[in-house]
Amino acid sequence: MLKTLKSAEDIKTFRTEIQTSNHKIKVGFVPTMGSLHEGHLELIRQSQKDNDVTVVSIFVNPTQFNNRNDFDSYPNRLKSDLDSLAELKVQAVIVPEEKDIYPNGYTFKLTESQDSLDLCGKARPGHFDGVLTVLIKLFNLLQPQNVYMGLKDYQQYKLVKGMAADLFLDLEVVGVPTVREDSGLALSSRNFNLTDEQKVVADQYAQIFAKDISLETLRKELERLNLKIDYLVEKWGRRFVAVFIGDVRLIDNRPLVKNHE
Ligand code: AMP
């Protein structure tokens, strides 16, 4: 049975309940913003392989959106998400409201002052402070042994791993390779907001991004499509891209050395 946890108290009680059984229960945690797709499900399956109990959170965290419009238009499919989690036999889902996570507003926050300022952090000021703050709160409440993050959001993965090491958190951050459509398009909840025409452009962008060509040629090829490039750079041994197709912002990255993830 899928347990629904809403408040901080619910999460702590759940943690205590599973802890009281006779052997040390391993908890895997998959934080998400919902509108679940195969990428999320891959993280969940990986967690189920490694742990006794898997907990998923679904929370569209307002503090990581620097743009109200982007927050308002973020897809919401809670009913079908809960059905998917029940089908996968996930033990518990955390679906808090804003007041549960930020009882005192957002006066205390966790700030990273280096890697979070580039790429998505440059385009979305304060985004990663919001991500790290909500995650440290959820980690403190649930106290998972393992946390699963997609390499699709590599900068986020790197920052969460860095936070865990720097704050001496007693947990492992596990990176899971990007799940893609046949076209190479990385699965994303934001893909649900693409019109049919925009989806065609998105597939073309993904095919071009997969090519083994210079950054310059890649930029030229992308510029021929009906999209706006936010960034296209190489860093941390990877190639990173963010584009707008209409109002939909899509990101992706690939390792520079082939067959590495
Ligand atoms: P989100 O709901 O977009 O915040 O994503 C929740 C988690 O799922 C994050 O760790 C993402 O990196 C991961 N994720 C999202 N899309 C994919 C994908 N296509 N492949 C693998 N992981 C993903």
Side-chain angles (χ1 to χ4, degrees):
M1 255 289 275
L2 177 68
K3 268 205 167 187
T4 304
L5 314 173
K6 279 195 176 4
S7 64
E9 221 37 62
D10 288 349
I11 304 170
K12 282 197 241 172
T13 308
F14 176 78
R15 195 63 182 90
T16 320
E17 276 170 10
I18 55 172
Q19 249 169 359
T20 50
S21 48
N22 45 12
H23 82 284
K24 180 127 176 70
I25 294 287
K26 254 206 216 169
V27 177
F29 179 40
V30 182
T32 82
M33 298 205 294
S35 294
L36 302 180
H37 50 67
E38 263 306 310
H40 297 115
L41 303 192
E42 192 56 34
L43 269 60
I44 294 170
R45 287 191 205 101
Q46 185 66 49
S47 169
Q48 289 178 318
K49 262 189 227 149
D50 301 344
N51 302 281
D52 303 303
V53 169
T54 290
V55 179
V56 175
S57 65
I58 297 180
F59 180 53
V60 183
N61 173 32
T63 66
Q64 70 189 67
F65 286 82
N66 58 314
N67 175 333
R68 182 77 216 182
N69 208 18
D70 191 23
F71 176 68
D72 289 340
S73 62
Y74 200 83
N76 177 339
R77 307 183 158 209
L78 188 58
K79 171 81 187 63
S80 76
D81 287 351
L82 296 180
D83 289 345
S84 308
L85 296 180
E87 204 170 304
L88 278 172
K89 303 203 171 6
V90 165
Q91 280 84 355
V93 59
I94 301 174
V95 276
E97 286 179 32
E98 190 174 344
K99 66 175 169 29
D100 297 313
I101 297 292
Y102 301 104
N104 294 314
Y106 185 43
T107 54
F108 289 92
K109 64 177 80 164
L110 207 145
T111 298
E112 197 278 346
S113 54
Q114 190 174 300
D115 292 343
S116 67
L117 303 181
D118 202 2
L119 305 177
C120 285
K122 206 186 241 173
R124 305 175 70 191
H127 166 66
F128 287 113
D129 289 358
V131 171
L132 296 176
T133 303
V134 74
L135 288 179
I136 193 77
K137 285 170 179 257
L138 292 171
F139 294 172
N140 282 336
L141 289 168
L142 185 64
Q143 295 173 28
Q145 275 78 12
N146 293 304
V147 175
Y148 296 83
M149 311 287 305
L151 296 182
K152 191 210 119 207
D153 301 280
Y154 186 85
Q155 188 178 14
Q156 171 174 276
Y157 158 76
K158 188 175 188 327
L159 285 164
V160 176
K161 217 172 163 61
M163 171 178 81
D166 210 58
L167 302 186
F168 309 114
L169 301 184
D170 194 12
L171 55 81
E172 199 63 48
V173 178
V174 182
V176 178
T178 304
V179 180
R180 300 175 180 280
E181 292 187 9
D182 290 343
S183 66
L185 181 64
L187 299 188
S188 164
S189 306
R190 291 173 187 275
N191 296 356
F192 291 122
N193 286 346
L194 293 168
T195 63
D196 290 349
E197 274 167 38
Q198 289 171 337
K199 177 66 172 51
V200 174
V201 178
D203 286 335
Q204 289 169 334
Y205 133 83
Q207 278 154 9
I208 294 171
F209 187 63
K211 288 187 187 177
D212 197 2
I213 50 181
S214 74
L215 206 56
E216 227 170 277
T217 315
L218 178 57
R219 178 175 288 277
K220 280 193 189 126
E221 291 205 17
L222 287 177
E223 277 169 354
R224 277 188 220 119
L225 298 179
N226 192 13
L227 52 73
K228 184 173 148 252
I229 299 174
D230 182 355
Y231 60 73
L232 176 63
V233 288
E234 287 175 355
K235 195 179 165 97
W236 302 322
R238 306 179 84 84
R239 185 171 273 184
F240 292 88
V241 69
V243 297
F244 281 97
I245 301 179
D247 286 337
V248 184
R249 187 168 185 276
L250 300 179
I251 62 171
D252 203 347
N253 72 91
R254 288 186 179 269
L256 291 175
V257 179
K258 271 199 153 179
N259 303 323
H260 277 228
E261 245 305 348

